[in-house]
Amino acid sequence: MALREPLRPSLLFWYGQFLMLLKRHSRALEVFRAVARENPRHQQAWTCVAFLLAEREEFPAAIDAFERALALNPADAPAHFNVAFILQRTGRHEAAVPRFERAIEIDPRVDRAWYGLGLSLAHLGRLEEAAAKFQEAARLQPFNPYAGYQLAGVWHRLDRRDKLRAEYERIKGFDPKVAERIRVEFGVR
């Protein structure tokens, strides 16, 4: 029995997912590209292609694939986040900011988007805005010390010793190693 044509991209997609589980990423990329060729409207295939290209640090091609996925589903918060992350990773912080903001607009519960937005804003010297974003990331994920570490760094740069000390004390309560790093790097007494 021959496969009906509309069924083939779906089966290939699941085969690509299976290859991902097996950590056979190069082969999975080939399969997801085949799915996208056969069905250019297969949003998940474009997302998988983009993710695998980003993993290989083929950033322009990854952004292009994420944009194709977003053209099919503009409300895909993870795709916006991933584009922003790539832009940030390649030093394009100004371009990353609106992409992080769009991801947050779609799903404000994604602490990584708040954190990423804070990093880009801090890199751009927009420290007060960055502090607010790191605070939101820490609120959403209170026991993740990284937002607290970045927030402490912003308070240090703004010479807000009281807030720096408070963040140090908060982090010390659940991650003594990161708290010690804050104490040493930012001179908490």
Side-chain angles (χ1 to χ4, degrees):
M1 175 171 117
L3 288 177
R4 292 179 309 133
E5 279 305 307
L7 187 58
R8 181 176 151 79
S10 293
L11 289 176
L12 275 177
F13 179 78
W14 292 113
Y15 176 55
Q17 293 287 316
F18 178 68
L19 290 168
M20 291 283 290
L21 289 172
L22 296 176
K23 307 275 190 234
R24 296 187 55 203
H25 293 182
S26 291
R27 179 67 180 126
L29 178 58
E30 293 172 21
V31 169
F32 290 130
R33 281 180 163 157
V35 172
R37 269 193 310 275
E38 288 189 29
N39 180 1
R41 299 198 51 75
H42 199 296
Q43 190 261 343
Q44 290 176 305
W46 284 113
T47 298
C48 290
V49 166
F51 175 79
L52 290 167
L53 289 169
E55 186 177 77
R56 293 166 70 155
E57 297 187 2
E58 295 180 30
F59 297 131
I63 289 174
D64 181 60
F66 275 125
E67 295 295 0
R68 288 174 178 259
L70 284 165
L72 298 168
N73 179 9
D76 184 349
H80 285 286
F81 168 81
N82 282 304
V83 169
F85 178 75
I86 291 168
L87 291 168
Q88 183 180 72
R89 181 138 184 238
T90 58
R92 297 167 53 199
H93 294 280
E94 194 72 45
V97 167
R99 300 311 284 264
F100 281 124
E101 290 173 335
R102 181 67 180 126
I104 290 166
E105 181 182 311
I106 295 166
D107 187 354
R109 299 165 299 169
V110 181
D111 65 296
R112 293 174 305 142
W114 290 98
Y115 178 82
L117 179 55
L119 283 177
S120 282
L121 290 169
H123 195 80
L124 294 169
R126 295 164 57 182
L127 300 179
E128 294 287 347
E129 292 173 82
K133 307 318 177 198
F134 290 135
Q135 286 174 314
E136 184 60 18
R139 186 190 70 76
L140 289 167
Q141 203 59 255
F143 298 110
N144 180 339
Y146 303 110
Y149 171 78
Q150 294 297 334
L151 184 56
V154 167
W155 294 140
H156 175 73
R157 288 172 66 187
L158 289 170
D159 199 29
R160 301 285 299 273
R161 304 303 291 173
D162 57 328
K163 293 192 178 264
L164 171 58
R165 179 77 159 139
E167 195 59 27
Y168 164 75
E169 292 295 336
R170 186 182 80 80
I171 300 292
K172 189 169 80 169
F174 65 90
D175 195 320
K177 286 183 181 180
V178 172
E180 180 61 12
R181 185 173 170 196
I182 290 170
R183 188 188 68 73
V184 170
E185 285 186 35
F186 305 129
V188 176
R189 299 193 201 310

